[in-house]
Amino acid sequence: MPFHNKLKIAAAAATLMMTTVFSAGAEDGWIVKDSSGSVETTADRLVEAVEKAGAKVFARVDHAAGARSIDAELAGMTLVMFGNPKIGTPILQAAPRAGLDLPNRVLIWDDAGQTRIGYLDPAELKARYEVEGADQAFEVMTGALGKLTDAAAK
């Protein structure tokens, strides 16, 4: 791969990382928790909890591995995407554009030696897409995300 392509990819990865880290630390509708484990351990716990709950893990993205593939450094950072059609479908029926933020995404990252786990508050998702209805789905989603991330952060 030519160097200028590697540079473009590295710049894009750095931009994504900075956007993600700064937004997660701000009061912007994110729920962020500290985890007792490493990024990898926390991601493993989350995947296990999601699968035990009967939801489906759609993707696990290791951003740090992506950075290493272009000889760049990035602190541990993993994105886990998962969902349950019983919860997400009513939301998507009420507001199809919410499909941009569903299935749920949970980001786990190393913040100067402290592992953090964060996700968009379902209330923010509801407000962002002006969802009318699907209140029960949002209530279930809120509870599920709280329990699953608590299990991962233990």
Side-chain angles (χ1 to χ4, degrees):
M1 176 183 295
F3 178 75
H4 68 279
N5 285 346
K6 285 184 180 181
L7 189 57
K8 286 179 186 177
I9 293 169
T15 300
L16 175 63
M17 182 199 76
M18 295 305 288
T19 302
T20 302
V21 171
F22 284 133
S23 68
E27 295 294 328
D28 62 356
W30 271 59
I31 296 173
V32 178
K33 303 173 182 181
D34 291 342
S35 175
S36 64
S38 67
V39 170
E40 185 175 353
T41 298
T42 302
D44 289 344
R45 288 180 193 155
L46 179 61
V47 167
E48 181 180 344
V50 166
E51 290 172 344
K52 277 186 180 177
K56 179 170 175 54
V57 174
F58 293 105
R60 181 173 174 163
V61 180
D62 184 339
H63 289 299
R68 285 190 300 276
S69 76
I70 60 162
D71 297 322
E73 290 187 34
L74 182 64
M77 184 182 297
T78 298
L79 175 73
V80 179
M81 294 178 62
F82 61 91
N84 182 331
K86 291 179 183 178
I87 300 170
T89 300
I91 295 168
L92 296 171
Q93 288 171 329
R97 293 182 313 135
L100 182 63
D101 286 310
L102 293 176
N104 290 303
R105 295 181 202 117
V106 173
L107 184 66
I108 303 157
W109 73 100
D110 182 317
D111 184 9
Q114 173 61 59
T115 301
R116 305 220 187 267
I117 182 168
Y119 58 93
L120 184 66
D121 186 334
E124 180 67 23
L125 178 71
K126 184 173 183 172
R128 176 179 293 173
Y129 296 105
E130 300 175 346
V131 180
E132 296 292 329
D135 292 341
Q136 184 177 5
F138 279 106
E139 288 177 25
V140 172
M141 181 186 291
T142 299
L145 281 167
K147 289 177 185 173
L148 293 170
T149 56
D150 284 349
K154 67 180 179 179

